[in-house]
């Protein structure tokens, strides 16, 4: 824990980070999220990208064939990121400002993921 007992992203992030290829199917992404009991996967591309359970749900609701649809067709690009030294209050403010539920954590490269569930658990 931080020296002043304020939790940082590094204290609570999920690691190792779960990733998926942009060429994987949306169905594969959904299956992976279910297997890992998570709701988002980082897509290691430039610019940075993420695919979330909301992206999968939107594809299903739109009647798209998730066994053919690629992650690259539904992923969110240019995602916001956090660094391990940010305080959880700062991450909560970022999530509120940007209307997001997941932030990949970067420190030279990807190191983890922090979610709104993590934020709620550590700030409540």
């Amino acid at each position: 824990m931080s020296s002043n007992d304020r939790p940082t992203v590094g204290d609570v992030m999920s690691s190792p980070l779960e990733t998926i290829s942009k060429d994987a199917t949306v169905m594969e992404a959904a299956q992976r999220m279910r297997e890992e009991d998570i709701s988002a996967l980082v897509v290691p591309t430039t610019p940075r990208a993420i695919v979330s359970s909301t992206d999968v749900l939107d594809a299903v609701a739109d009647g798209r064939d998730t066994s053919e649809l690629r992650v690259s067709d539904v992923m969110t690009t240019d995602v916001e990121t956090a660094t391990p030294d940010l305080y959880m209050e700062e991450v909560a403010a970022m999530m509120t400002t940007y209307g997001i539920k997941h932030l990949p954590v970067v420190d030279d490269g990807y190191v983890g993921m922090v979610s709104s569930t993590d934020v709620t658990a550590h700030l409540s």
Side-chain angles (χ1 to χ4, degrees), residues 63-108:
R64 299 174 82 179
D65 182 355
T66 59
S67 65
E68 296 292 327
L69 193 62
R70 299 286 163 201
V71 166
S72 59
D73 297 323
V74 300
M75 68 188 188
T76 301
T77 56
D78 291 327
V79 296
E80 296 297 326
T81 60
T83 56
D85 61 340
L86 281 180
Y87 291 114
M88 294 307 291
E89 298 91 345
E90 295 170 300
V91 170
M94 285 177 70
M95 289 181 170
T96 301
T97 299
Y98 296 114
I100 55 178
K101 296 179 183 174
H102 300 90
L103 280 170
V105 183
V106 294
D107 189 11
D108 290 326

Side-chain angles (χ1 to χ4, degrees), residues 40-78:
L41 296 163
V42 164
V43 185
T45 60
T46 303
R48 292 186 168 120
I50 190 171
V51 62
S52 70
S53 55
T54 302
D55 298 323
V56 173
L57 187 62
D58 287 347
V60 171
D62 289 343
R64 299 174 82 179
D65 182 355
T66 59
S67 65
E68 296 292 327
L69 193 62
R70 299 286 163 201
V71 166
S72 59
D73 297 323
V74 300
M75 68 188 188
T76 301
T77 56
D78 291 327

